Amino acid sequence: MKVKLEMPEQKELEFDRRMKVHKMLEELHINPESVIVIRGGELLTADDWAEVGDEIRIRGVISGG
Amino acid sequence: MGALCKKCRERAQIKLPRHNASFCQKHFKEYFFKQVEKAIKKEKMISPGERVLIAVSGGKDSLVLWDVLRELGYRADGLYVNLGIGDYSDRSEETCIRFASSRSANLYTISLPAFTGGAGIREISRKVRRKACAACGMIKRYLFNRFSWEMGYGVAATGHNLDDEAATLLGNLIGWKEDYLSRQAPVMPSNHPRMVRKVKPLFRVTEKETAACAVMSGIGYIYEECPLARGARSTVYKNTLNYLEQHSPGAKQQLFYNFLQKGRPGFLQKREDVQLQSCSRCGQPTATETCAVCQMLEKIGAPPLSLSEGGAVKQKAGEALAP
Ligand code: SF4
Ligand SMILES: [Zn+2]
Ligand SMILES: [Zn+2]
């Protein structure tokens, strides 16, 4: 699956197996409180599975200033 | 199987550990709207029928605030200030205009460089030898208050959320800044004839919840950072609080709500009230003879600001803007 980070710095990653969102965030050292995870127009919770063919966006929600 | 909505048992799109609940799109929005309505009612932010002006930046918080207030039936208009920070300002202005058109909402825009002979925040901060964000903050607050007052709005709202408030509180506590602590509140009443009441209707919802609401409402917002933002301290505080929140859900709200209920009254008692006067040049509230913004304009050689001159204010979307 393709994972696009928008934290807001952009970066693209690939995972070659299905995995739970919380596991993915853990591997990326991302606190679930600090992002929303988007697939299509929908949000995924930490308990959802991201499947092999999915395109996932992980978008940071913390604004500075 | 993922989490299920607490209300309808459909697939949940968001989990809220601090409320021990998960929600589908429909019920999350219901929850979110209720939190905003509760903030407004409980803190007496906006009276029925009162017109409210929202400072919009193109970011998620201010656009969500605008959308929710309109959905809740408030008479909410937007004000965008173009700070002249290159492409970043132009992209955020376009974002606000696009949103306003999509909702047929009233948006005013002010261009700062139109008053300063072309200088934006970067140039101004260099000339007055202040940090960009310090100069910017003063100018934004000034224009927001002055414009609200001149246009006859009784109340002006910003998109500060729970994370913003908790992070500011943490910073003020670490520095034990009694004066700031006495002033940090979801409602700042007017204490000068030309000061408009300021309110923060999103103080009960988190940054993540606000971003989720934006996506669910189809609000396109700008999430790139301002090029002048330099590793803000507030981000460190926010990350620290999110670490706490992850391991102890509800920590952020407990910190801020407990402060409002039990901490702030003590700081208020100790506070020495400075009598605000009117600026000798512009008439806006100030603690000094000439206000900080008039001083800055003087330093960069710009004339006193007149919002009605120079075509700097434009009406963008929506119907007539007459007060
Ligand atoms: S980051 Fe600083 S300079 Fe940029 S808009 Fe925010 S306050 Fe202004
Ligand atoms: Zn539901
Ligand atoms: Zn002044």
Side-chain angles (χ1 to χ4, degrees):
Chain A
M1 86 195 69
K2 267 205 182 73
V3 177
K4 268 192 175 173
L5 298 184
E6 308 167 338
M7 304 285 292
E9 312 76 37
Q10 309 228 349
K11 200 171 160 189
E12 283 201 25
L13 305 168
E14 283 274 356
F15 287 93
D16 54 9
R17 63 200 152 92
R18 76 192 288 258
M19 65 200 302
K20 279 210 170 182
V21 169
H22 74 82
K23 188 82 194 141
M24 183 190 297
L25 295 179
E26 222 172 87
E27 283 192 16
L28 296 169
H29 302 289
I30 293 173
N31 184 330
E33 269 295 305
S34 69
V35 293
I36 49 175
V37 181
I38 310 171
R39 180 178 62 198
E42 299 212 323
L43 299 183
L44 300 183
T45 73
D47 298 342
D48 284 316
W49 284 93
E51 305 291 342
V52 173
D54 283 351
E55 273 196 32
I56 308 282
R57 282 184 294 152
I58 300 178
R59 184 182 294 175
V61 298
I62 297 185
S63 44
Chain B
M1 193 63 161
L4 298 180
C5 173
K6 183 182 177 178
K7 287 265 168 89
C8 69
R9 313 309 291 169
E10 294 281 321
R11 186 184 89 77
Q13 287 202 37
I14 188 164
K15 272 176 94 168
L16 306 178
R18 72 183 178 116
H19 293 300
N20 200 11
S22 301
F23 291 117
C24 69
Q25 172 161 334
K26 175 174 162 222
H27 290 114
F28 172 71
K29 284 186 74 175
E30 194 179 282
Y31 149 84
F32 192 95
F33 280 50
K34 264 195 198 145
Q35 290 296 323
V36 178
E37 185 80 326
K38 186 171 175 185
I40 294 173
K41 291 269 154 65
K42 225 179 132 196
E43 305 290 333
K44 301 188 176 61
M45 293 184 176
I46 309 168
S47 330
E50 197 174 27
R51 293 162 67 241
V52 50
L53 187 65
I54 300 169
V56 291
S57 65
K60 64 181 189 314
D61 303 300
S62 51
L63 292 185
V64 164
L65 172 60
W66 196 5
D67 201 37
V68 172
L69 287 192
R70 285 172 46 85
E71 292 280 328
L72 287 171
Y74 291 96
R75 300 169 65 197
D77 300 329
L79 171 67
Y80 174 81
V81 177
N82 188 312
L83 298 159
I85 309 176
D87 296 345
Y88 169 75
S89 288
D90 296 335
R91 275 196 294 275
S92 36
E93 179 170 345
E94 277 162 30
T95 304
C96 292
I97 293 172
R98 217 175 306 128
F99 175 80
S101 316
S102 76
R103 303 292 198 266
S104 297
N106 294 324
L107 174 68
Y108 306 92
T109 62
I110 294 181
S111 167
L112 177 65
F115 297 113
T116 57
I121 293 297
R122 194 191 300 268
E123 297 76 27
I124 295 173
S125 71
R126 257 189 225 138
K127 278 193 202 159
V128 302
R129 296 170 181 276
R130 277 187 198 273
K131 287 202 174 122
C133 294
C136 185
M138 277 192 256
I139 291 173
K140 280 191 290 198
R141 276 192 298 276
Y142 176 92
L143 287 174
F144 189 37
N145 182 69
R146 180 160 165 189
F147 188 79
S148 306
W149 181 79
E150 284 189 13
M151 296 301 286
Y153 289 86
V155 53
T158 53
H160 293 92
N161 55 48
L162 180 58
D163 293 60
D164 294 320
E165 294 305 302
T168 303
L169 174 58
L170 185 58
N172 288 339
L173 286 173
I174 290 173
W176 207 253
K177 297 182 179 152
E178 297 191 343
D179 192 42
Y180 287 136
L181 287 164
S182 74
R183 259 183 289 196
Q184 201 186 341
V187 179
M188 274 313 277
S190 162
N191 54 357
H192 182 280
R194 294 194 184 198
M195 171 132 23
V196 173
R197 182 167 80 257
K198 307 293 183 321
V199 299
K200 300 170 180 172
L202 297 188
F203 84 95
R204 301 183 60 89
V205 291
T206 65
E207 198 133 49
K208 174 171 173 139
E209 291 161 23
T210 309
C213 187
V215 171
M216 290 180 187
S217 308
I219 297 174
Y221 62 91
I222 194 159
Y223 51 84
E224 67 180 287
E225 265 201 74
C226 168
L228 302 182
R230 274 189 307 169
R233 173 103 31 104
S234 67
T235 311
V236 177
Y237 292 147
K238 282 182 177 177
N239 289 331
T240 305
L241 287 166
N242 274 342
Y243 180 79
L244 267 177
E245 186 73 26
Q246 191 184 4
H247 296 280
S248 173
K252 275 185 288 203
Q253 69 184 48
Q254 278 174 41
L255 174 68
F256 189 55
Y257 298 174
N258 278 331
F259 164 73
L260 288 180
Q261 222 183 24
K262 300 172 192 164
R264 187 166 175 266
F267 290 104
L268 264 178
Q269 270 178 5
K270 281 209 240 164
R271 175 163 157 198
E272 291 165 43
D273 260 319
V274 245
Q275 199 51 54
L276 287 182
Q277 342 163 184
S278 303
C279 170
S280 59
R281 294 187 70 182
C282 72
Q284 281 289 292
T286 171
T288 49
E289 154 104 20
T290 309
C291 79
V293 169
C294 282
Q295 287 180 31
M296 278 197 264
L297 289 172
E298 219 169 351
K299 262 193 208 149
I300 66 167
L305 217 131
S306 165
L307 288 180
S308 52
E309 280 169 33
V313 179
K314 294 170 288 184
Q315 173 195 336
K316 278 302 186 198
E319 327 88 57
L321 286 175

